[in-house]
Amino acid sequence: MYPALSDELAEVMKSGWADTELRDLVPDEQAPYAAKRRAALSARFPGDRLVVPAGRLKTRANDTEYEFRASSEYVHLTGNQAEDAVLVLEPRPEGGHDPRVYLLPRSDRETGEFWLDGQGELWVGRRHSLAEAELLLGLPTRDSRKVVEELVAAAEEHPATTRLLRSYDARLETALAEHTTRHGDEELRVFLSELRLVKDEWEVGQLQAAVDATVIGFTDVVRELAQAVASSERWIEGTFNRRARVEGNGVGYGSICAAGPHATTLHWVRNDGAVRPGELLLLDAGVETHTLYTADVTRTLPIDGRFTDLQRRLYDAVLDAQEAGIAAVRPGARYRDFHDAAQQVLAERLVEWGLLEGPVERVLELGLQRRWTLHGTGHMLGLDVHDCAHARTEAYVDCVLEPGMVLTVEPGLYFQQDDLTVPEEYRGVGIRIEDDILVTADGNRNLSAALPRGAAEIEAWMSGLRG
Ligand code: GLY
Ligand code: MN
């Protein structure tokens, strides 16, 4: 233990520090895009006070916290990622809104906070000053330690419907309880989810960068498969994770590094199993960029570099289903079309192999193929891996595709190890192929096309990497 803090030391710590204010900052390249998103939000809720928190640190134990990630809604509207931050759109009497963002300022030297407080800059690193943040974000800033008091005062002095994005900042939920309604807040959440359905050009660039880094991560994994065989699936997870941390912020979701029968568990993230030659590795992983956009890519690879005949037959069926799905992604198509197209192919194969009794139309009508296809064929992708999850059914699942939407196409076939309805050699085989597809003006673009997909291409790629 340190001795008690002396007055002399406290005094000494206050002074002798250089002025490090950054005065030549230029606005962040995302700032104009975030401003457009805020303008759309302002137009949707005229006259309402809108409150979008980034979220707060969550204690792991004692004085250690879980790694922080700002809410996607806050990031989308500001381009900022600070903890404890809050975006407020204050309605103007004449219409429109005045935006402001509440942030933690630089640590005060006078009070000793910078070295005595756990969130002081000496412990966690330098923050931007409020003036610096204002320049970078193109938004007026205020001290986040005053956010509760200022919002309550505003709600009392200038009554307006207040809408709060819930579940990120309990302080605000309590403080604004009398001024908000569950229904009003839910409308805000739904709108912010739908605002992300169509990506702007800057977001598409970020998603492509996320995918490009992910391609490098998959390549790293193939190069290190021998070490994985000698250790476990954890080697694969660690290898991909290292690349994700170097190229971006980290992984966009828990990497699924599923070797052998683990591939039949859809979200196998324990990643503690053996990696055996002769079996398949299902790797479902995505790098999240520094700006928090994530890729979501899956490849199913033969661990020893060559598919067996059976593995290849099953693989080709999933590939054909994926090709049919991707071909159904274009502006004007229904969101459901790519799923239906992929399911059609898989149902046909399952009938052909004698696992299901035809006709195929009956199988599809009753959904019987789903015993082995298990999940939907894709989802929107963006700041969240399952992006836009709060959008209304009519805006998402029942929507018509538009240029700028980005979605995954990821059919799979999964034969559980204890499935007595399939021949023994099928059991324990799981295959998924997943790519990230941008809807363009005249069709689509596969953002992850750089990663080999056909069985022969995969074998050639693996053989080149493993020497
Ligand atoms: N990549 C995991 C999922 O889409 O659920
Ligand atoms: Mn996915």
Side-chain angles (χ1 to χ4, degrees), residues 90-235:
E90 183 66 26
R92 282 191 218 118
E94 69 275 22
H97 289 81
D98 287 322
R100 58 175 187 263
V101 64
Y102 286 87
L103 295 167
L104 199 54
R106 296 213 51 203
S107 295
D108 195 342
R109 308 282 156 143
E110 203 47 42
T111 60
E113 173 210 335
F114 78 106
W115 67 292
L116 296 173
D117 186 296
Q119 289 309 305
E121 287 179 301
L122 191 136
W123 291 93
V124 300
R126 188 190 191 280
R127 285 187 280 274
H128 281 300
S129 70
L130 295 189
E132 290 169 358
E134 196 151 329
L135 270 171
L136 287 168
L137 304 178
L139 272 169
T141 52
R142 296 207 191 170
D143 185 335
S144 62
R145 289 168 299 193
K146 302 207 175 107
V147 65
V148 170
E149 151 198 350
E150 290 192 11
L151 274 174
V152 170
E156 280 164 8
E157 285 160 31
H158 308 286
T161 300
T162 299
R163 296 178 189 266
L164 167 67
L165 183 68
R166 296 194 192 200
S167 36
Y168 293 119
D169 196 328
R171 281 176 314 174
L172 298 174
E173 276 166 52
T174 308
L176 296 172
E178 281 175 34
H179 304 282
T180 55
T181 65
R182 188 159 287 281
H183 177 69
D185 292 352
E186 189 55 25
E187 284 181 333
L188 173 63
R189 180 186 304 285
V190 167
F191 178 77
L192 292 179
S193 215
E194 294 181 6
L195 185 61
R196 285 165 36 206
L197 281 165
V198 173
K199 273 65 184 174
D200 58 42
E201 57 184 344
W202 183 84
E203 293 183 287
V204 171
Q206 295 305 302
L207 284 164
Q208 183 66 68
V211 168
D212 292 347
T214 299
V215 170
I216 304 175
F218 273 68
T219 308
D220 290 347
V221 166
V222 170
R223 284 210 176 92
E224 302 223 355
L225 271 176
Q227 283 99 315
V229 169
S231 55
S232 78
E233 294 165 338
R234 290 282 163 97
W235 193 274

Side-chain angles (χ1 to χ4, degrees), residues 318-337:
V318 177
L319 182 65
D320 290 349
Q322 201 211 19
E323 295 280 8
I326 293 173
V329 175
R330 58 177 171 276
R334 293 176 315 141
Y335 175 83
R336 290 182 191 271
D337 289 348

Side-chain angles (χ1 to χ4, degrees), residues 10 28 41-43 73-74 79 85 102 136 153 186 224 226 248 288 300 314-315 350 356 361 379 405 445 461-462 465:
D28 195 273
L41 173 61
S42 168
E73 293 90 341
Y74 173 81
Y102 286 87
L136 287 168
E186 189 55 25
E224 302 223 355
E288 180 185 66
T300 306
L314 302 181
Y315 185 90
L350 290 163
L356 287 171
E361 293 67 33
H379 51 83
M405 289 178 165
R445 188 165 90 229
W461 173 65
M462 292 181 72
L465 289 173

Side-chain angles (χ1 to χ4, degrees), residues 284 296 379 385-386 408 410 434:
D284 179 342
D296 179 8
H379 51 83
V385 63
H386 296 167
T408 68
E410 51 173 314
E434 175 174 30

